[in-house]
Amino acid sequence: MKENGLIEFRWHGRGGQGAKTACLLLADAAFSAGKFVQGFPEYGPERMGAPITAYNRISDVRCSIHCNIDNPDYVVVVDETLLETVDVTHGLSPEGAVIVNTAHSPDKIRSKLRGWQGRVCTIDARRISEETLGRNFPNTPMLSAAVKVSGVLDEAQFKKDMEESFHHKFATKPQVVAGNMAALVQAWKEVQAG
């Protein structure tokens, strides 16, 4: 954590996996908790399956920085295959953590992180989303894992705010609210730290 309670996240995913959506949901939840927030994607030649990056700043005071995040406190990797081509830990604070969507243990993933010595956390977001939502939508489990690992928001308030957000977001599809909440709760329980 930086000055004034500032916590910065960098999200790595592929177009269509929901990294941008998870980033914006984190901003909404932090705003609901009374924090000052920023949530924004880095735009380039986006297309389905292309690597994308998104960012969050969450602070106790107004943040006047408006640029990409080069030295995040937490990195969230929505697609494990990016570890082969992107240095996801570049600039990551040694006190922070990298959170990876994978069925593998943190120890197994560490070998793919180019010498990163900090905390490695894993969550099988694909399995959780398939069990709770019937399809591979890893963004909700990854959001839950990011909040738990970072401790940026109170658990009970986060879950309450997310349920309200899901009811609003899926007003025309209320049947998906329960699945998203189940994914959020299950991911909170299953995230592993190494």
Side-chain angles (χ1 to χ4, degrees), residues 4 15 121:
N4 297 319
C121 302

Side-chain angles (χ1 to χ4, degrees), residues 138-151:
N139 57 340
T140 297
M142 294 306 294
L143 169 63
S144 185
V147 171
K148 181 174 183 181
V149 169
S150 68

Side-chain angles (χ1 to χ4, degrees), residues 102-110 120-122 192 194:
T102 181
H104 299 295
S105 70
D107 288 338
K108 176 112 178 172
I109 291 301
R110 183 176 300 282
V120 177
C121 302
T122 60
Q192 299 178 48

Side-chain angles (χ1 to χ4, degrees), residues 38-116:
Q38 293 178 4
F40 55 98
E42 178 178 26
Y43 285 108
E46 277 73 31
R47 62 188 185 284
M48 187 70 75
I52 65 108
T53 309
Y55 306 93
N56 285 108
R57 284 191 180 91
I58 300 172
S59 180
D60 295 330
V61 298
R62 186 174 303 281
C63 182
S64 60
I65 306 167
H66 297 285
C67 60
N68 292 348
I69 296 170
D70 294 324
N71 301 106
D73 299 290
Y74 299 94
V75 168
V76 184
V77 183
V78 182
D79 188 317
E80 178 184 4
T81 64
L82 291 171
L83 300 179
E84 299 165 12
T85 57
V86 177
D87 183 4
V88 298
T89 59
H90 177 77
L92 179 58
S93 167
E95 290 83 40
V98 60
I99 306 154
V100 181
N101 173 14
T102 181
H104 299 295
S105 70
D107 288 338
K108 176 112 178 172
I109 291 301
R110 183 176 300 282
S111 65
K112 297 180 178 186
L113 295 176
R114 305 176 190 205
W116 168 250

